[in-house]
Amino acid sequence: MTILINGENREFDNDICVSELIVKLGLKVPVMAVAVNMNIVKKDDWDSFILKSNDRVEMLQFVGGG
């Protein structure tokens, strides 16, 4: 299945939830917000929110600075 992640198409063999996606992408910096098809997915739901083919996922990380 194809999922668009931060503007880049990625292929996955099986269904995947948001938390599994974060692990598979090897993200080291904590992801602070995830939106699927422009809808925010609460962190409490990351383990149960199953992504579908052609979903558009945006993962945001907050960076401090001045």
Side-chain angles (χ1 to χ4, degrees):
M1 90 176 150
T2 302
I3 299 173
L4 185 67
I5 303 168
N6 291 350
E8 181 181 332
N9 278 325
R10 301 288 297 260
E11 292 290 329
F12 298 92
D13 294 329
N14 302 316
D15 288 345
I16 189 169
C17 67
V18 172
S19 58
E20 291 171 323
L21 178 63
I22 291 168
V23 170
K24 282 193 183 259
L25 294 176
L27 299 178
K28 305 257 189 263
V29 177
V31 174
M32 304 304 262
V34 174
V36 177
N37 302 322
M38 301 300 287
N39 296 305
I40 297 293
V41 178
K42 294 180 183 178
K43 195 167 191 171
D44 290 343
D45 296 330
W46 288 2
D47 289 334
S48 61
F49 192 99
I50 304 298
L51 298 166
K52 299 173 194 76
S53 190
N54 298 316
D55 274 348
R56 297 176 65 123
V57 178
E58 296 292 331
M59 295 184 187
L60 307 172
Q61 301 168 346
F62 298 112
V63 177

